[in-house]
Amino acid sequence: MKVEVWTDIMCPYCYIGKIHYEQAMQQFAHADEVELVIKSFRLNPDLPGKGNGYSVVDYLLKTAGLPGNKLKQMFAYIEQLAKNAGVRFNLPNAFAANTLDAHRLVKLAARRNLSSNVLSLISKAYFEDAQDYSDIKILTEIGVKAGLDATEIARLFAGDDFIAEVEQDVQEAHQLGIDTVPTFLFERKQAIIGSEPVQVFLDTLNQAYESWKKANTTLGNMEVKKGKSCNADGTCEI
């Protein structure tokens, strides 16, 4: 059974949502029959890259125009989500940066069946460790830690491999009407948007699996469950 997720590193709900999905998978009886396909989404392609990111707080206040009181509410909500998920909350110290190279590294990792691990490590670097995920040195360290070859990573960042694939994912999202992340599609029959609770993911996995087993390939009406997510303008819901 195929599960696709459109995600962007700078979206905090993407990190929490993936953790909830993985926790649900630990309880899902047929986890060994599920293929997770990670698709790229770029919330703000105009942000600086190559280690030149800047404060998330400045980005949300000045670039995205989020009022200060709303920012505090958003951070408080995400901090509680992080606590419940068992991860450190360090978003106020994090960097807003271009995610293209991070997505490219995930694409490279997919060739070695390491994409999920690499994405989690990059997201942790952003959300928990407040590192600039556009920094090639940091991305290289993450790739090597996940099991990729340093020479292969250097070759990736010296060229333009996977740029077209990243853009193709973004275009596919637009064609499907996806404009917020994370968006999980289960055999394109059901969808979860945002960082819904673990039980919602587990219930959806069970429903999607039952339908998949019956070989029902008709798209029909997609059932959508929606939690908190980040919009295409780079702002996140409270």
Side-chain angles (χ1 to χ4, degrees), residues 189-200:
K189 297 281 290 181
Q190 293 170 302
I192 292 179
I193 300 172
S195 54
E196 285 283 72
V198 175
Q199 190 61 49
V200 173

Side-chain angles (χ1 to χ4, degrees), residues 145-198:
K145 182 178 179 180
L148 296 174
D149 180 74
T151 302
E152 191 174 25
I153 297 171
R155 190 182 311 118
L156 168 73
F157 292 132
D160 57 5
D161 288 355
F162 299 112
I163 291 178
E165 286 83 351
V166 169
E167 291 305 318
Q168 183 178 352
D169 284 353
V170 174
Q171 290 302 316
E172 186 180 15
H174 293 326
Q175 291 167 4
L176 291 169
I178 295 171
D179 58 5
T180 59
V181 288
T183 293
F184 292 81
L185 297 187
F186 299 77
E187 282 293 314
R188 302 204 175 181
K189 297 281 290 181
Q190 293 170 302
I192 292 179
I193 300 172
S195 54
E196 285 283 72
V198 175

Side-chain angles (χ1 to χ4, degrees), residues 1-4 6 37 39 169 172-173 175-176 178 184-191 208 216-223:
M1 182 177 77
K2 181 183 289 186
V3 177
E4 300 162 284
W6 273 263
V37 179
K39 300 290 186 79
D169 284 353
E172 186 180 15
Q175 291 167 4
L176 291 169
I178 295 171
F184 292 81
L185 297 187
F186 299 77
E187 282 293 314
R188 302 204 175 181
K189 297 281 290 181
Q190 293 170 302
N216 182 3
T217 57
T218 304
L219 284 177
N221 294 321
M222 185 179 295
E223 180 183 345

Side-chain angles (χ1 to χ4, degrees), residues 28 35 45 85 160:
F28 182 52
E35 175 192 9
D160 57 5

Side-chain angles (χ1 to χ4, degrees), residues 131-151:
Q131 293 182 307
D132 187 340
Y133 50 76
S134 72
D135 189 313
I136 299 304
K137 180 181 178 182
I138 291 172
L139 289 174
T140 299
E141 291 172 352
I142 287 173
V144 170
K145 182 178 179 180
L148 296 174
D149 180 74
T151 302

Side-chain angles (χ1 to χ4, degrees), residues 113-127:
N113 294 319
L114 294 171
S115 58
S116 181
N117 188 24
V118 168
L119 176 60
S120 292
L121 289 173
I122 298 172
S123 299
K124 180 181 181 297
Y126 162 60
F127 189 92

